[in-house]
Amino acid sequence: MTIPTPHISAKSKDEIANTVLMPGDPLRAKYIAENFLEDVKQFTQTRGMYGYTGYYKGKRVSVMGSGMGIPSSMIYFNELFNFYDVDTIIRIGSAGSMQENIKLHDIVLATSACSESSINDNLFGNIHFSPTPDFNLLLEAYKKSQDLGYTTHCGQVHSSDQFYNDMDPKVFENLQKYGVLCVEMESYGLFTVARKYGKKALGVFTISDSLVSNESDSAENRQSAYTQMMTLALEVAPE
Ligand code: ADE
């Protein structure tokens, strides 16, 4: 395939930095570009999925929306890694806590992702592949989060195929018991595609709601909590 790809309109690989930060929401990508980056250029808006490249403390970095869910976001992960030669994708997103001790606005770093998605079924036969992020990037993000004084948890995340999930309570209980920290919707796809191309990936989350306490974020608190996640991702983004 040549570039531009069907879903990203950048005409040259040079328009996109080696590392791309990817929130689900394209308007959050715009917000990050406008508030955290300097000398910003937009490289895509195909299907309203905005992407920008700019500089964070002199470091060149891109930010682009991924959309919601594994099948849609995997289109962007594939095109960025395979056709635009991107080295690293850092997913930054919201997640629902599944553990009592993981509170609203805490940070979660994914060490692996599980899913009910069947997207890898034709790749590994009867083996249930465990998609994982890049260890060195994860380690660096953990250390940086400690330096910044953030409340951070590391562990497995559930990449759900459904936001409105009528999950059997017994299944939820087992996921909790076996230490799954939170639910989001894309990391299983991201970590798989990164491995496919020998590239790097990381998942950084802000807890926006709790499936344990049934609380959810208030709009006024959301921005400062999200700022921690964005700062962490920008600080550790490899150039
Ligand atoms: N992202 C944030 N909260 C979520 C939830 N409860 N389920 C799936 N994805 C989420």
Side-chain angles (χ1 to χ4, degrees):
M1 176 155 341
T2 54
I3 54 176
T5 57
H7 308 96
I8 301 174
S9 53
K11 290 191 185 65
S12 149
K13 294 174 184 177
D14 299 340
E15 291 178 43
I16 307 181
N18 288 331
T19 294
V20 184
L21 268 54
M22 300 193 79
D25 180 355
L27 290 178
R28 193 160 294 277
K30 185 167 188 270
Y31 176 88
I32 295 168
E34 285 171 354
N35 292 281
F36 289 81
L37 303 184
E38 289 173 339
D39 197 9
V40 172
K41 292 195 176 69
Q42 187 170 350
F43 63 80
T44 190
Q45 59 174 357
T46 304
R47 291 179 184 241
M49 200 57 80
Y50 303 129
Y52 308 85
T53 298
Y55 292 83
Y56 174 76
K57 296 184 179 172
K59 177 169 71 178
R60 192 164 180 264
V61 64
S62 293
V63 56
M64 178 179 162
S66 71
M68 291 178 282
I70 293 169
S72 170
S73 62
M74 274 177 88
I75 293 173
Y76 299 109
F77 304 146
N78 265 289
E79 291 186 6
L80 288 169
F81 281 138
N82 198 24
F83 302 114
Y84 287 98
D85 288 347
V86 164
D87 288 330
T88 304
I89 293 178
I90 302 179
R91 163 155 162 68
I92 48 177
S94 60
S97 173
M98 294 171 60
Q99 301 288 341
E100 182 109 47
N101 67 320
I102 301 185
K103 309 289 188 196
L104 290 194
H105 307 148
D106 285 3
I107 300 276
V108 170
L109 295 171
T111 58
S112 61
C114 61
S115 185
E116 68 275 41
S117 168
S118 57
I119 210 138
N120 287 342
D121 284 6
N122 60 357
L123 283 176
F124 303 109
N126 67 348
I127 307 294
H128 297 285
F129 177 70
S130 299
T132 52
D134 180 77
F135 179 72
N136 288 322
L137 195 52
L138 173 62
L139 186 59
E140 208 181 315
Y142 182 68
K143 285 192 203 149
K144 180 58 81 175
S145 75
Q146 298 304 101
D147 292 348
L148 292 166
Y150 298 169
T151 304
T152 305
H153 310 266
C154 293
Q156 185 161 178
V157 304
H158 172 211
S159 300
S160 178
D161 268 349
Q162 302 183 69
F163 187 87
Y164 299 102
N165 201 333
D166 288 329
M167 183 185 276
D168 180 342
K170 186 70 202 157
V171 173
F172 181 76
E173 228 174 79
N174 277 339
L175 291 174
Q176 274 187 316
K177 181 172 156 189
Y178 284 68
V180 175
L181 303 187
C182 61
V183 57
E184 53 86 58
M185 298 185 72
E186 294 82 18
S187 295
Y188 186 89
L190 171 59
F191 298 163
T192 299
V193 177
R195 295 291 170 189
K196 174 179 176 185
Y197 296 113
K199 305 282 180 123
K200 287 185 265 199
L202 180 69
V204 186
F205 306 94
T206 302
I207 298 298
S208 60
D209 56 290
S210 170
L211 281 62
V212 182
S213 67
N214 291 320
E215 298 165 278
S216 65
D217 221 350
S218 69
E220 60 276 16
N221 286 336
R222 197 169 300 165
Q223 205 50 58
S224 67
Y226 280 45
T227 297
Q228 290 195 344
M229 170 178 68
M230 294 183 278
T231 303
L232 180 56
L234 285 163
E235 286 286 330
V236 299
E239 186 154 29

